[in-house]
Amino acid sequence: MQLKSKQWIKGVLSFWSWNDKLDLNEIGNQLQGFKDAGLSGFFIHARGGLLTPYMGEEWMDAVSYAIQAAKAIDLEVWLYDEDAWPSGFCGGLVPRAGIEHQQKWLTWEQIPAGQLTRTSRTIAIYEKRSGQWKRMEPEADPSSYESDSEYLHVYFEANPYYSDLMNEETVQLFIQQTHEKYKERFGHEFGTTIRGFFTDEPQYAADQYPWTLKLPQLFQSMYGYDLLDELPALLLGQQVSIRHDYWKLISHQMVNSYMKQIGMWCENNNLAQTGHVAGEDTLFYQMKLTAGAMPHYEWMHMPGIDHLGRRITRPVLLKQVTSAAAQMGRTQVLSEMFGCSGWTVNFADLKWIAEWQLSQGVNVQCQHLAAYSLRGARKRDYPPALSCQQPWWPQYDAFNRYFEKLYGWISQGEREPQVLLLHPLSSAWCAYKPTKPDELWELDRRFGDMTELLMDMGIDFDYGDEGIMERYGVVNGDSLRIGAMSYRVVLIPSLVSLERTTYALLQRFAAAGGKIVQCGTSPSCVDGRENAELVSWWEQHVQRIMPTEKTLTAVLDRHQLVRVISRSGSRVRGIYSRVRREEGSMLYFLANSSRTDRKEGIVHIPGEWDLKEINHRQGLETAVVYWHAVGDTYWTIKLDGGESVCIEAARREEGALPASVSSSGQLPYRRTKLRNHWTLDNELTNVLTLDKACYRRADQPNWSGPLPLSVIQSELQTQGADAEIQLKFSFQLDGRLDVSSICVVLEDWERVELHVNEALVQCDAPGGWVDACFQAVPVGDYLIGGRNDIVIRRGFRSTRAAYLDDEDAFETERNRYVPLTELESIYLLGSFAVSPVPGHGLDRIPGSHRLSADDFIIGPLPKHADLSDLTPQGFWFYSGTVSLTQQFDLQAVQNRRYSLQLEVPPDAVIVQVRINGIDAGSYLWSPYELDISAFVREGANDIQLMLTSGLRNTFGPHHYFKGEVGFVGPSQFHGVKGWEDLVLAYNTPDRTWSDSYHVVSFGLGSAPVLVEYDNDEEAPR
């Protein structure tokens, strides 16, 4: 049975992290914020920090409220199927049901008979005879074994925190305790307000040989021989066939037990199954965790991936999911994107990431994540939070509505790829050994290189997963059809082995006249077994070439849908394209995959077409300069870093004259750079983050020295007893400063006493700031010139989960843990400037300022500022919107057009422009140019720039030794190496803390330029 295919969502979705004690009013407020921000719906995602019992009555009431509130404002509701991740354990309920439901893996020991003991976890015992391992009878008592023989004891280990997803009964229990519970309460909303379920990173035991109790029977049924006889060869030998058979069964069982069962449950309940599996990025990680990602996509209504970081990866991740989706007729492909991008991320970064994915067919954003709360560790939970706490949130609808239009446009028509690249998963089964993955790494590298080469060449292609090909592949004339897609050419990358069904399908394809091209090492095995017939047939029927651009061009020339070449004739790398055919027209989406480098060249497409550019942000259609030669169409392209273009091509009627097209980009009459000297709005509220404190227990007389809050937290938890504690924060104050506006912002106001300069601060109604967890307490009356001490007195509860000290504890527990007491930075707010004390050190490292300072002074704000970088001008920890103004003079306005240009991408999320008090537009991403002709006047003109930042300089990470990076997680806030660091480099030290502060620039980089054009010339838009 095949799952139904339809459009499941209409826009952009938020991954909404429910991570604290839930309040219905707050839920309602945030839902309205989603609607205002142009989001079409959300996933309800239980996450670390949740204090409302998962799946309990209060939880279900909160879900019910969210469903009804969403329905009232036309938002789509999607349910997440777990308490944190990975999916499959129902908050611990499933593995607690017994060892048969717990995740398992093989382990073994080679020991003499006298030390051997059979246990309830023993799978088999083997004796070494004449160099071969022979299985002992299961009834034999180990005490009777020969004492001078060597024995192999194979047994399984179990993870008490996670589930055996290869056990169908275990997955049924998971469905009963999760999906069925939601159905009991909300089944009447299924298929309408509630659209589906998101499953997150199901997996087997990483870096192990996974096991389930029924595996021997399943193996016997699939292959007709006994797995237990072959375990020594699997674990210790070099036999390729047993590796192939074992890992193929593991892949099959993961899919059929988990994804197929849940997919069919969703199908039968009018819901969509979406989400992603673990480790999709490479063959290596797939073998570590799932034994293959593509087979799962057959059973997902809206297949998905996980893309983390302010970066792009090798496109294998995207091609796998979009290929399977196309073949299964699925029109929408989801990506959980933007997580780990950090608090610095701006709209241009988000657009670059999303459009790079769109160029390969990913057309649904699951935005990681919207934070219900930023209290405590939640603000460090793989930031950013793309939610109402952000200073730029009121303008976020421009981003979301842009993508809703773009996704709708590029989803018109049909793709017509003619090339299939065989996916080497079955070769990965043959090559993978958890303790020695070198052969698999090389297979990975070659496959990734081949993928990138084809993309750079403008070849539209899909991957072919051999399991999907077995079920849906047929030869139709001289085409190979897989489900909904047909291909004329099959490319074979470097392989070890083919599945027997694939070999047979290729034989039929070749006999029908289909073209098969080998690029790299030819396979010599069928089903992991050497096969002389295959080798002979391959030599006769498969064209063999080197995997180079030159040879591939010769073979695939007619299948190049888009070529981008430089004026010298060489290929321009890194412009990826998406092409759709409509009746009588073509749609071309081209994206620069580089965030920083400009790409330019000449675009060549087959056929004669008339072109226009579609601007989805402004809703404009613009003429394009193009020409025809030898029956094809050409135009020039210039894309700045992260930029894209949408081109609509209409078929020219035979005999029609070439279109008369004028250029939309004109030479300027005059360029005038505005002054760097701007007047600063003195009404703004600045921030000083205080993240170091002295501490003592209430029963101790002496204070510690200044320590990071994370160190104090760790020390108190290690001491292991509840205590009353005191935290002392210090700063200096310039006596000339008006202190009336100054507040201290802190968390847990209701649980602490606040003392400023030894005076107890009273406040019945503290104000708000950024998030509901923060309380802003006025303290101006308590401040003095010079040094000021802020002391917080509070209780500390030191209860610590035992599994945190267990190196083998699974991430299901770690992902949900938050301490009972969280010691957090406090913040000073007010109309002031922040300066480090004299004697500080300051230098630049890539991406950030590095400031060595032990203390800070707050003083009067400057009246003027250089807008190239506001950070070192008193805004070291600032987040929010800064307003700057100046005047410029113009003459003869009636005969001119005017635009305002930024020379470099700004270090700000949004730059809003007002001319003479009127909104003239905003810079969100490239091109950084605004037509301001309608707003200027002769003589003096007032210009106001409003720069909005993210939360990076307020929340950090401030002390990561590399400064600003594009992949951010909790460990970088604490200065201890975590998995996030391994994404950036393999040689990261164990301690990553820097005592210096690392903050990023905030400004325009350079003053704007006013560009004048002749009256007859139109300014670029």
Side-chain angles (χ1 to χ4, degrees):
M1 177 180 179
Q2 200 170 340
L3 303 181
K4 70 170 72 78
S5 299
K6 69 176 187 177
Q7 181 172 338
W8 292 97
I9 73 156
K10 61 187 177 185
V12 176
L13 298 171
S14 178
F15 212 34
W16 191 14
S17 168
W18 282 15
N19 61 357
D20 209 328
K21 184 71 173 176
L22 299 175
D23 176 81
L24 300 186
N25 289 332
E26 183 65 21
I27 288 173
N29 291 338
Q30 293 192 21
L31 283 172
Q32 186 60 54
F34 291 164
K35 184 68 175 181
D36 295 342
L39 293 163
S40 65
F42 54 90
F43 295 91
I44 296 176
H45 173 20
R47 199 165 173 96
L50 179 66
L51 297 181
T52 299
Y54 175 66
M55 297 301 286
E57 194 64 29
E58 189 179 354
W59 168 269
M60 288 297 196
D61 288 346
V63 173
S64 177
Y65 180 87
I67 291 169
Q68 297 309 312
K71 184 192 295 189
I73 56 177
D74 192 27
L75 288 176
E76 303 165 4
V77 179
W78 294 74
L79 301 171
Y80 186 87
D81 65 7
E82 193 49 87
D83 183 7
W85 74 95
S87 293
F89 70 109
C90 193
L93 188 151
V94 173
R96 286 198 296 270
I99 195 169
E100 66 272 22
H101 298 300
Q102 293 173 6
Q103 183 189 65
K104 303 171 192 68
W105 62 94
L106 294 175
T107 190
W108 62 94
E109 55 186 356
Q110 292 177 244
I111 56 176
Q115 300 176 21
L116 186 58
T117 303
R118 187 183 295 274
T119 73
S120 60
R121 297 188 180 188
T122 295
I123 295 169
I125 297 173
Y126 305 83
E127 181 183 13
K128 199 165 196 178
R129 302 173 190 166
S130 303
Q132 300 294 318
W133 293 105
K134 300 299 181 181
R135 181 155 60 109
M136 306 295 289
E137 291 298 327
E139 297 81 12
D141 185 351
S143 64
S144 65
Y145 292 173
E146 297 288 340
S147 60
D148 58 349
S149 293
E150 184 180 0
Y151 293 89
L152 176 67
H153 179 208
V154 180
Y155 56 100
F156 69 84
E157 295 281 11
N159 175 2
Y161 304 114
Y162 193 51
S163 305
D164 177 3
L165 302 186
M166 296 188 296
N167 182 343
E168 291 93 336
E169 289 78 16
T170 300
V171 177
Q172 289 167 13
L173 178 59
F174 171 58
I175 292 171
Q176 291 164 10
Q177 296 300 328
T178 305
H179 303 70
E180 291 288 353
K181 295 294 185 185
Y182 280 120
K183 182 179 179 179
E184 288 174 14
R185 183 78 179 262
F186 309 116
H188 60 286
E189 300 285 0
F190 282 7
T192 54
T193 306
I194 298 176
R195 302 301 178 90
F197 276 91
F198 187 108
T199 199
D200 201 354
E201 299 191 2
Q203 59 192 261
Y204 51 63
D207 296 313
Q208 306 291 343
Y209 289 93
W211 189 256
T212 188
L213 297 179
K214 293 182 180 179
L215 202 64
Q217 298 96 299
L218 295 168
F219 193 94
Q220 181 76 42
S221 176
M222 179 174 279
Y223 300 114
Y225 67 97
D226 196 333
L227 172 62
L228 298 186
D229 288 339
E230 305 299 330
L231 283 182
L234 174 69
L235 302 175
L236 304 176
Q238 303 299 318
Q239 189 175 325
V240 173
S241 60
I242 182 59
R243 288 204 298 267
H244 169 275
D245 292 355
Y246 171 82
W247 288 113
K248 180 179 180 179
L249 175 58
I250 295 298
S251 176
H252 178 272
Q253 198 60 20
M254 281 290 293
V255 172
N256 284 276
S257 174
Y258 188 84
M259 200 64 73
K260 182 177 179 179
Q261 277 204 91
I262 298 176
M264 288 305 303
W265 188 94
C266 289
E267 174 81 5
N268 294 333
N269 285 279
N270 201 26
L271 296 173
Q273 163 83 330
T274 190
H276 63 90
V277 297
E280 319 113 307
D281 305 61
T282 65
L283 294 172
F284 173 66
Y285 280 107
Q286 288 175 58
M287 292 307 302
K288 279 168 65 84
L289 294 162
T290 63
M294 283 189 75
H296 287 270
Y297 302 142
E298 180 181 351
W299 300 105
M300 301 177 80
H301 298 81
M302 188 162 62
I305 59 169
D306 188 15
H307 181 274
L308 301 176
R310 194 164 70 248
R311 58 171 189 154
I312 61 174
T313 62
R314 298 203 90 169
V316 171
L317 170 68
L318 309 179
K319 269 296 178 185
Q320 290 174 149
V321 68
T322 57
S323 298
Q327 291 155 0
M328 303 312 300
R330 314 284 153 73
T331 59
Q332 293 185 302
V333 177
L334 174 142
S335 173
E336 179 190 334
M337 60 179 79
F338 309 143
C340 300
S341 294
W343 289 112
T344 307
V345 75
N346 57 39
F347 288 0
D349 296 324
L350 301 179
K351 176 176 177 286
W352 165 60
I353 294 167
E355 289 189 339
W356 172 73
Q357 297 188 47
L358 176 60
S359 73
Q360 299 310 306
V362 174
N363 56 6
V364 176
Q365 289 180 31
C366 168
Q367 297 181 353
H368 182 293
L369 49 63
Y372 174 85
S373 172
L374 294 183
R375 188 166 66 87
R378 298 157 185 82
K379 66 179 71 66
R380 297 180 288 276
D381 183 9
Y382 305 103
L386 304 175
S387 42
C388 58
Q389 298 91 346
Q390 289 280 8
W392 43 255
W393 184 252
Q395 289 79 37
Y396 196 40
D397 66 314
F399 176 88
N400 292 318
R401 296 187 197 285
Y402 165 80
F403 272 100
E404 185 174 348
K405 293 175 184 176
L406 178 58
Y407 289 148
W409 179 79
I410 199 59
S411 296
Q412 301 173 90
E414 302 290 338
R415 278 180 66 232
E416 295 181 342
Q418 300 289 301
V419 178
L420 182 78
L421 177 62
L422 197 66
H423 191 283
L425 178 60
S426 66
S427 291
W429 295 336
C430 296
Y432 182 58
K433 292 178 281 188
T435 56
K436 193 176 181 183
D438 307 56
E439 185 179 353
L440 184 57
W441 287 342
E442 180 61 19
L443 197 68
D444 239 336
R445 183 192 65 78
R446 293 186 181 189
F447 185 56
D449 289 348
M450 184 74 179
T451 299
E452 290 186 338
L453 178 58
L454 291 171
M455 290 177 61
D456 278 336
M457 291 175 61
I459 305 292
D460 193 5
F461 68 98
D462 287 330
Y463 289 158
D465 172 77
E466 295 187 67
I468 292 176
M469 291 170 68
E470 177 182 353
R471 290 181 290 283
Y472 301 97
V474 295
V475 176
N476 185 9
D478 61 352
S479 295
L480 176 60
R481 186 169 189 85
I482 305 175
M485 308 302 288
S486 289
Y487 309 95
R488 305 295 293 277
V489 180
V490 176
L491 291 181
I492 310 293
S494 290
L495 295 181
V496 175
S497 179
L498 280 178
E499 292 301 283
R500 185 167 299 280
T501 53
T502 306
Y503 178 30
L505 185 62
L506 292 179
Q507 287 178 307
R508 295 195 296 274
F509 180 56
K515 179 182 285 189
I516 306 172
V517 182
Q518 173 74 59
C519 304
T521 305
S522 300
S524 61
C525 296
V526 173
D527 290 345
R529 292 152 176 87
E530 291 290 335
N531 189 296
E533 177 193 320
L534 169 70
V535 174
S536 175
W537 183 88
W538 209 261
E539 290 177 351
Q540 298 176 50
H541 296 91
V542 176
Q543 181 180 356
R544 300 179 67 178
I545 65 173
M546 295 295 291
T548 66
E549 178 185 356
K550 183 177 180 179
T551 56
L552 281 166
T553 298
V555 172
L556 301 175
D557 180 66
R558 63 191 291 259
H559 300 294
Q560 289 185 267
L561 301 183
V562 178
R563 295 178 174 92
V564 185
I565 56 176
S566 68
R567 295 192 180 275
S568 66
S570 62
R571 173 168 51 90
V572 177
R573 295 174 178 269
I575 294 181
Y576 291 166
S577 58
R578 192 74 173 168
V579 181
R580 307 279 291 191
R581 181 184 295 276
E582 278 203 295
E583 186 175 352
S585 66
M586 300 288 288
L587 307 179
Y588 294 88
F589 173 75
L590 290 87
N592 183 351
S593 63
S594 171
R595 181 66 181 89
T596 55
D597 298 337
R598 169 180 272 206
K599 309 281 186 181
E600 53 184 285
I602 298 169
V603 182
H604 171 199
I605 60 174
E608 291 191 355
W609 305 87
D610 291 329
L611 308 181
K612 61 183 176 181
E613 179 181 343
I614 309 298
N615 184 320
H616 293 287
R617 185 186 169 203
Q618 297 179 330
L620 300 175
E621 296 183 359
T622 308
V624 177
V625 179
Y626 61 92
W627 64 95
H628 299 137
V630 198
D632 290 342
T633 304
Y634 300 80
W635 76 93
T636 58
I637 190 171
K638 294 182 180 179
L639 295 177
D640 287 334
E643 199 174 1
S644 64
V645 65
C646 297
I647 300 293
E648 214 165 277
R651 177 70 74 179
R652 291 189 63 226
E653 295 183 9
E654 187 174 349
L657 295 174
S660 175
V661 184
S662 61
S663 172
S664 62
Q666 306 299 327
L667 295 175
Y669 172 77
R670 179 185 294 115
R671 295 173 61 89
T672 306
K673 192 167 187 175
L674 301 184
R675 301 185 310 277
N676 272 331
H677 193 68
W678 293 72
T679 300
L680 183 67
D681 176 12
N682 279 343
E683 297 301 315
L684 65 82
T685 299
N686 202 357
V687 185
L688 169 58
T689 300
L690 297 174
D691 63 354
K692 296 179 182 178
C694 303
Y695 87 100
R696 66 183 179 188
R697 290 176 176 264
D699 57 357
Q700 295 175 335
N702 298 324
W703 292 96
S704 72
L707 295 169
L709 269 298
S710 60
V711 172
I712 298 173
Q713 176 93 33
S714 179
E715 288 186 1
L716 289 169
Q717 285 190 173
T718 301
Q719 292 169 15
D722 294 352
E724 293 297 315
I725 64 166
Q726 299 175 9
L727 302 170
K728 181 169 65 176
F729 302 84
S730 299
F731 67 95
Q732 296 189 38
L733 185 147
D734 185 328
R736 298 171 298 169
L737 177 65
D738 178 359
V739 298
S740 59
S741 67
I742 295 178
C743 295
V744 169
V745 173
L746 69 166
E747 304 176 32
D748 294 339
W749 165 249
E750 67 282 358
R751 297 187 180 94
V752 306
E753 282 187 7
L754 175 64
H755 299 254
V756 176
N757 296 322
E758 300 186 352
L760 176 64
V761 177
Q762 303 285 353
C763 180
D764 295 329
W769 178 70
V770 176
D771 183 86
C773 73
F774 294 115
Q775 294 83 37
V777 180
V779 294
D781 292 343
Y782 304 91
L783 300 178
I784 59 176
R787 179 184 178 88
N788 287 259
D789 292 330
I790 299 172
V791 174
I792 293 174
R793 299 178 179 176
R794 63 164 306 149
F796 185 88
R797 297 179 64 191
S798 64
T799 303
R800 177 181 172 86
Y803 53 73
L804 292 180
D805 298 315
D806 177 5
E807 291 184 358
D808 296 324
F810 198 57
E811 61 176 329
T812 51
E813 308 310 300
R814 296 179 185 275
N815 290 341
R816 295 184 294 156
Y817 172 76
V818 290
L820 295 175
T821 301
E822 299 180 84
L823 303 181
E824 293 293 312
S825 300
I826 65 171
Y827 310 87
L828 288 185
L829 302 186
S831 184
F832 54 70
V834 177
S835 302
V837 295
H840 68 276
L842 176 63
D843 62 337
R844 291 280 298 179
I845 62 174
S848 64
H849 298 276
R850 180 165 56 194
L851 175 64
S852 300
D854 295 324
D855 203 357
F856 292 92
I857 305 169
I858 59 172
L861 280 168
K863 291 183 170 54
H864 300 92
D866 179 344
L867 55 60
S868 60
D869 189 358
L870 296 170
T871 297
Q873 300 176 70
F875 296 89
W876 294 103
F877 301 98
Y878 181 76
S879 57
T881 298
V882 170
S883 174
L884 303 111
T885 57
Q886 69 166 249
Q887 284 191 338
F888 60 90
D889 293 325
L890 292 178
Q891 304 298 324
V893 175
Q894 292 182 345
N895 298 315
R896 298 284 181 266
R897 294 279 189 259
Y898 295 90
S899 74
L900 191 69
Q901 299 179 1
L902 304 184
E903 293 188 312
V904 295
D907 291 310
V909 179
I910 302 167
V911 181
Q912 297 168 273
V913 180
R914 295 178 68 85
I915 306 292
N916 298 316
I918 302 173
D919 183 9
S922 301
Y923 301 106
L924 304 181
W925 50 70
S926 181
Y928 295 106
E929 186 165 5
L930 290 175
D931 184 349
I932 60 171
S933 305
F935 311 106
V936 297
R937 61 195 178 203
E938 289 193 17
N941 287 263
D942 296 320
I943 179 171
Q944 180 185 18
L945 299 180
M946 290 165 285
L947 281 64
T948 301
S949 73
L951 291 164
R952 163 62 170 83
N953 285 349
T954 301
F955 290 154
H958 292 123
H959 299 283
Y960 187 60
F961 78 120
K962 288 187 176 180
E964 176 62 14
V965 293
F967 202 97
V968 181
S971 67
Q972 290 153 348
F973 292 83
H974 300 305
V976 178
K977 182 172 70 175
W979 73 268
E980 311 95 295
D981 301 289
L982 299 179
V983 174
L984 301 170
Y986 289 109
N987 58 348
T988 302
D990 292 338
R991 176 176 166 80
T992 62
W993 182 269
S994 168
D995 287 332
S996 299
Y997 288 87
H998 296 83
V999 291
V1000 299
S1001 295
F1002 175 45
L1004 295 190
S1006 179
V1009 176
L1010 183 66
V1011 184
E1012 301 181 46
Y1013 298 84
D1014 287 335
N1015 189 46
D1016 293 334
E1017 307 290 357
E1018 185 177 344
R1021 297 176 183 272

